[in-house]
Amino acid sequence: MHDELGEIGRRFPEIDLAVVHLGGTRVLGALVSMDGLQGRDLLAMLEPRHAVPVHYDDYGVFKTPLSQFRDVMAASDLSTSVHYLERGQTHQITTVH
């Protein structure tokens, strides 16, 4: 998570869907996937209509579970509709402009 990600929202102010890579993983000290708090902060920055969290439990090195993201999103006042999908599950995202 860094301020430069805000450029996405400036270039594309009407984002329909954000695919949020979570897990809170660090490799050699470098953060390579966001934790739940950073995922919420990204959605607050971009204000997409919908979001789907992904990639949060694919490897044993992930440090933050999806439940952290669920908890911070439940406590937030963001208008983003978050869709939690199980592996292999699909969801039709429809938007009206």
Side-chain angles (χ1 to χ4, degrees):
M1 181 66 190
H2 50 84
D3 292 337
E4 289 80 14
L5 289 171
E7 183 65 25
I8 296 168
R10 287 186 286 282
R11 288 183 183 186
F12 307 99
E14 306 248 345
I15 297 172
D16 289 322
L17 175 65
V19 178
V20 185
H21 289 245
L22 299 175
T25 305
R26 290 188 178 274
V27 175
L28 301 174
L31 187 67
V32 296
S33 63
M34 294 179 281
D35 63 20
L37 299 169
Q38 293 168 324
R40 180 213 45 214
D41 292 347
L42 177 69
L43 296 181
M45 179 187 293
L46 299 181
E47 299 179 340
R49 289 180 184 85
H50 303 274
V52 175
V54 298
H55 201 57
Y56 46 81
D57 66 354
D58 293 330
Y59 305 102
V61 296
F62 288 164
K63 302 296 182 198
T64 55
L66 180 61
S67 61
Q68 182 197 53
F69 180 72
R70 284 181 181 269
D71 292 346
V72 297
M73 288 305 295
S76 79
D77 61 353
L78 298 178
S79 62
T80 300
S81 176
V82 180
H83 306 276
Y84 298 97
L85 304 178
E86 299 295 324
R87 277 185 172 57
Q89 186 178 7
T90 62
H91 181 80
Q92 181 74 31
I93 305 288
T94 57
T95 61
V96 178
H97 292 278

